[in-house]
């Protein structure tokens, strides 16, 4: 299973504009306050106050659930314009929170500060306030899509757990998965990012791997620009079995052309 979506409006041209200035969307990923982006926290904690407005953070202050320092909503020194500090709640249930609590996405200000920690510097022709608003929407939409892909696996193969939740996540862009390496041998591009999500399946921890591939311009309506390859990690017999079942179904229904036997919903007469 895996999603594949792509393209954006003022964002499509913005995506090309950022490439011209040496900043791809993957290089501008937000803090891991929400699931989606390369793991750069430890490497940037020693950057100091000039690069991180909140000042350098000790590694023991990292949140083990997302490997990030505490949320930083303070404007950066010499920041050219003000940014929103509003955070949007995701649809992703939080396994470690209170009942009914969902993960929150980073604000525009948090995203900006995270880019500074990563070494990015603003240029007059690089970003405008509207761009930050678009980037947040793009980031959030792609995280929602990744979670929907996880739910496809969970609801199809483990319907006994009605409400799986996300326990923790981390980015690991430098650790290319064996599947991505194999695809590269076949001539496909490598993903620009990789994430590892730990899903709580009603008390059982399940490791998912998500490879993010550049899908071109950002879609105007959906705000998606990535092709996602979402699947359980091959680190347990249960996960390997799930992968084999789905591979068999794909071969049977997509390659051989069999029609799946789906339950017929009752009509009004019944």
């Amino acid at each position: 299973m895996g999603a594949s979506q792509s393209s954006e409006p003022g964002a499509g041209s913005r995506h090309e504009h950022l490439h011209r200035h040496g900043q791809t969307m993957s290089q501008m990923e937000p803090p891991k306050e929400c699931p989606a982006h390369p793991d750069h926290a430890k490497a940037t904690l020693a950057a100091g106050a000039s690069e991180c407005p909140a000042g350098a953070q000790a590694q023991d202050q990292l949140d083990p659930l997302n490997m990030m320092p505490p949320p930083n909503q303070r404007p950066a020194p010499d920041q050219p314009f003000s940014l929103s500090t509003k955070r949007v709640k995701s649809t992703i249930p939080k396994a470690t929170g209170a009942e009914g609590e969902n993960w929150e996405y980073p604000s525009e200000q948090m995203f900006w500060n995270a880019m500074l920690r990563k070494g990015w510097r603003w240029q007059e022709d690089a970003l405008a306030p509207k761009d930050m608003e678009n980037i947040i929407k793009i980031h959030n939409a792609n995280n929602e899509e990744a979670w929907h892909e996880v739910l496809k696996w969970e609801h199809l193969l483990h319907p006994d757990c009605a409400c799986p939740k996300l326990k923790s996540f981390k980015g690991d862009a430098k650790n290319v998965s064996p599947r991505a390496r194999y695809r590269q041998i076949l001539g496909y591009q490598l993903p620009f990012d990789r994430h590892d999500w730990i899903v709580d399946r009603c008390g059982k921890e399940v490791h998912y791997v998500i490879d993010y591939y550049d899908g071109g311009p950002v879609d105007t309506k959906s705000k998606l620009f990535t092709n996602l390859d979402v699947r359980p990690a091959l680190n347990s017999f249960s996960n390997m079995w799930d992968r084999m079942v789905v591979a068999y179904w794909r071969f049977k229904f997509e390659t051989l052309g069999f029609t799946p036997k789906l339950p017929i919903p009752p009509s009004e007469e019944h």
Side-chain angles (χ1 to χ4, degrees):
M1 284 180 218
S4 84
Q5 307 284 344
S6 40
S7 323
E8 166 195 19
S13 58
R14 175 56 52 186
H15 185 51
E16 299 171 0
H17 179 74
L18 292 174
H19 271 290
R20 290 198 295 271
H21 290 279
Q23 295 292 334
T24 64
M25 292 300 296
S26 60
Q27 291 173 311
M28 299 179 62
E29 294 289 349
K32 281 195 277 253
E33 297 301 314
C34 116
H37 114 13
D39 189 10
H40 63 274
K42 291 183 179 178
T44 57
L45 288 178
S50 62
E51 295 186 350
C52 180
Q57 302 285 340
Q59 288 198 15
D60 59 4
Q61 290 181 293
L62 293 177
D63 184 341
L65 298 181
N66 57 19
M67 294 306 295
M68 286 296 295
N72 176 19
Q73 296 275 32
R74 294 173 57 190
D78 301 322
Q79 186 171 307
F81 41 75
S82 61
L83 293 169
S84 171
T85 58
K86 179 182 178 181
R87 302 183 66 180
V88 176
K89 282 189 178 294
S90 74
T91 65
I92 306 174
K94 194 172 185 179
T96 57
E99 187 63 31
E101 183 179 357
N102 288 4
W103 287 91
E104 283 189 306
Y105 289 123
S107 67
E108 295 174 18
Q109 185 65 63
M110 291 168 63
F111 199 112
W112 181 279
N113 291 339
M115 292 193 295
L116 293 182
R117 283 198 306 270
K118 216 174 170 185
W120 174 85
R121 291 297 175 268
W122 181 80
Q123 302 174 30
E124 289 188 8
D125 58 349
L127 285 177
K130 185 65 176 179
D131 296 321
M132 289 303 300
E133 180 182 340
N134 282 333
I135 289 172
I136 290 295
K137 290 179 180 179
I138 292 167
H139 163 262
N140 296 357
N142 280 276
N143 276 292
E144 292 293 322
E145 186 66 15
W147 180 245
H148 291 161
E149 288 300 308
V150 169
L151 291 182
K152 288 180 183 179
W153 284 90
E154 292 297 308
H155 291 163
L156 182 64
L157 298 172
H158 303 279
D160 50 308
C161 181
C163 186
K165 301 178 181 179
L166 181 60
K167 181 177 181 180
S168 63
F169 50 86
K170 69 174 183 176
D172 201 0
K174 295 181 180 179
N175 184 14
V176 181
S177 67
R179 180 182 175 106
R181 289 290 186 197
Y182 177 70
R183 285 172 54 86
Q184 183 187 34
I185 293 174
L186 297 179
Y188 295 95
Q189 63 175 337
L190 283 173
F192 65 78
D193 198 8
R194 166 191 168 161
H195 294 164
D196 292 81
W197 290 13
I198 303 300
V199 173
D200 183 338
R201 183 189 294 156
C202 295
K204 179 180 180 180
E205 291 188 3
V206 183
H207 181 187
Y208 276 85
V209 175
I210 305 173
D211 284 327
Y212 292 76
Y213 293 89
D214 193 339
V218 183
D219 184 81
T220 307
K221 295 182 179 180
S222 69
K223 298 298 183 183
L224 298 174
F225 81 100
T226 55
N227 295 326
L228 305 179
D229 186 1
V230 182
R231 70 276 184 193
L234 294 176
N235 61 350
S236 70
F237 177 78
S238 175
N239 284 0
M240 287 189 285
W241 178 258
D242 287 351
R243 293 271 292 268
M244 287 189 293
V245 168
V246 169
Y248 167 72
W249 285 347
R250 279 179 168 165
F251 175 75
K252 180 178 180 180
F253 300 126
E254 296 180 8
T255 305
L256 299 182
F258 283 86
T259 302
K261 295 181 179 179
L262 301 176
I264 302 175
S267 63
E268 293 183 0
E269 298 178 356
H270 298 81

